[in-house]
Amino acid sequence: MDRTKVKYALWTNDVEDHSIWFNALRYETGELVLREGMPILLDIYKRFGIKSTFYFTGYMAEHFPEVVRMIVADGHEVASHGYSHEVDQAFDVLPYALQVEHLRKSKQLLEDISGQQVISFRAPALRVNADTPRALAETGYKIDSSIASQRFDMFLSFGGLKKLKWLTAPRLPYFTDPGNLFRKGKGPIVEVPLTALLFPYVGTTMRVFPWLTKLQRSILHAENNMNHKPVVFDIHPNEFLNEENGERKIERRTKNPITYLLADVLRGKLKVKNLGKAAIPLYENEIAYYQKRGYHFTTVKQYCIENGWLPENMS
Ligand SMILES: [Zn+2]
């Protein structure tokens, strides 16, 4: 098969204990992800017959090992989403030694539970710094997927200003600079960028602005016809949960009033749209669009092997 002609759809999932409804990390949400969110996602993938990559936080693996085990039988890829999703433990604020520790700990946990070799990483909240490529190489990772090329967040997410580097990051997969994941270079880490067109191409956009996602996908399909850029979508099993009961309080995670208003309050209000079961048909439409057009759905790892970024014996 001529790989350069294959249209790739890389469907990715970030598995964490974050509650969208409460805008906070909660043990109870982790439990719901295991019992409700993951079964819904896995059922969708089974019905469409597709394989995807799951990025788990070490916290989830440690507290709910079954959440990792349940994807293995279906042939999905087990990948790391760091150890913790706490805002103050993000990789752009962690010193090098702690990045190494978090990477090592989550890799070990995930490998012990799944029996798979874990080589793919996505940073919690996509926050990375100049130490991250070195920390990844040091701990045996091969692929990063934390860079959202041409995504523009400004104050809408944490670390927003640093994420301006996304605007100039390459669109197609690349080997990164050893000191900069945002740039091409001679480092050992392959970057498979998340797809974005100013707005992120993710579950949140799909739920909150379905018309925008519809527009995005027709442009992305046209782009793929020109340059074979893999379409990389990102969703969370917690988007299929509806925790709407009891009083809702938006936790304040920052002292900056603008960031509080935009990243916590506004975002918190918007993000609950089409949460829970309502997200299922939207997601199915998204998958069906590419399946109808002959896309090959596979894992990030398998994509890298099939395209010569990694040796065959990695599988
Ligand atoms: Zn995450």
Side-chain angles (χ1 to χ4, degrees):
M1 180 167 23
D2 182 358
R3 291 293 172 198
T4 59
K5 298 258 165 59
V6 178
K7 298 174 176 307
Y8 282 96
L10 308 181
W11 253 224
T12 67
N13 315 268
D14 300 348
V15 187
E16 55 210 38
D17 60 330
H18 177 248
S19 164
I20 299 168
W21 179 256
F22 293 103
N23 195 33
L25 298 172
R26 298 167 82 235
Y27 179 87
E28 297 82 351
T29 304
E31 210 162 18
L32 283 172
V33 161
L34 166 68
R35 303 207 190 295
E36 293 175 27
M38 288 292 286
I40 290 174
L41 255 185
L42 288 172
D43 177 61
I44 294 173
Y45 294 151
K46 203 166 258 172
R47 279 189 282 113
F48 282 90
I50 65 180
K51 307 241 179 294
S52 72
T53 298
F54 286 81
Y55 297 89
F56 297 95
T57 59
Y59 177 93
M60 281 299 288
E62 204 163 45
H63 292 83
F64 310 101
E66 194 48 42
V67 85
V68 181
R69 243 174 257 133
M70 69 199 296
I71 77 156
V72 177
D74 293 347
H76 300 295
E77 178 187 2
V78 177
S80 166
H81 197 33
Y83 179 73
S84 159
H85 219 290
E86 299 283 352
V87 172
D88 61 357
Q89 310 259 309
F91 273 62
D92 60 342
V93 293
L94 281 188
Y96 175 74
L98 280 176
Q99 292 192 31
V100 166
E101 198 183 308
H102 281 218
L103 286 167
R104 201 165 266 157
K105 204 164 149 188
S106 71
K107 187 175 176 16
Q108 194 64 55
L109 276 164
L110 292 166
E111 290 184 345
D112 287 350
I113 297 166
S114 71
Q116 274 187 28
Q117 196 193 352
V118 172
I119 58 166
S120 295
F121 173 72
R122 171 172 293 152
L126 311 182
R127 294 171 63 178
V128 296
N129 69 13
D131 290 332
T132 310
R134 206 157 44 93
L136 285 169
E138 168 74 25
T139 47
Y141 289 85
K142 310 285 179 202
I143 313 164
D144 177 67
S145 184
S146 308
I147 307 300
S149 317
Q150 285 74 61
R151 168 169 163 180
F152 183 62
D153 275 26
M154 271 317 270
F155 296 106
L156 277 168
S157 73
F158 285 90
L161 278 177
K162 283 181 203 154
K163 288 172 175 170
L164 280 174
K165 289 188 201 148
W166 281 344
L167 287 172
T168 54
R171 248 182 120 63
L172 291 168
Y174 55 98
F175 277 109
T176 74
D177 183 284
N180 187 347
L181 286 174
F182 298 82
R183 278 213 322 244
K184 279 186 198 175
K186 294 194 179 349
I189 303 296
V190 185
E191 178 62 41
V192 177
L194 285 142
T195 298
L197 284 168
L198 290 185
F199 288 88
Y201 187 55
V202 296
T204 310
T205 314
M206 176 193 82
R207 288 185 297 102
V208 179
F209 307 113
W211 56 270
L212 179 59
T213 295
K214 224 170 147 181
L215 179 68
Q216 282 177 319
R217 70 186 176 220
S218 48
I219 298 172
L220 294 171
H221 177 54
E223 182 185 16
N224 183 284
N225 279 325
M226 288 189 304
N227 64 9
H228 305 289
K229 179 189 153 28
V231 177
V232 183
F233 193 82
D234 181 22
I235 198 154
H236 302 72
N238 50 352
E239 297 184 60
F240 298 98
L241 303 178
N242 193 345
E243 298 175 89
E244 195 172 340
N245 53 16
E247 193 194 333
R248 178 163 181 248
K249 126 178 178 299
I250 293 171
E251 206 169 278
R252 183 167 186 152
R253 299 180 295 176
T254 169
K255 286 202 178 79
N256 179 326
I258 296 170
T259 309
Y260 170 64
L261 191 67
L262 292 173
D264 278 338
V265 177
L266 179 67
R267 199 159 171 257
K269 287 212 161 87
L270 280 175
K271 282 186 89 173
V272 299
K273 208 182 141 193
N274 285 320
L275 206 55
K277 298 263 189 297
I280 298 174
L282 292 171
Y283 195 41
E284 288 171 338
N285 277 345
E286 212 53 39
I287 297 171
Y289 176 88
Y290 294 99
Q291 222 168 36
K292 257 183 236 150
R293 286 159 183 80
Y295 279 71
H296 175 48
F297 287 77
T298 192
T299 64
V300 173
K301 184 200 271 188
Q302 195 56 30
Y303 166 83
C304 286
I305 293 169
E306 289 178 12
N307 288 272
W309 296 99
L310 290 176
E312 287 283 344
N313 61 14
M314 272 291 157
S315 52

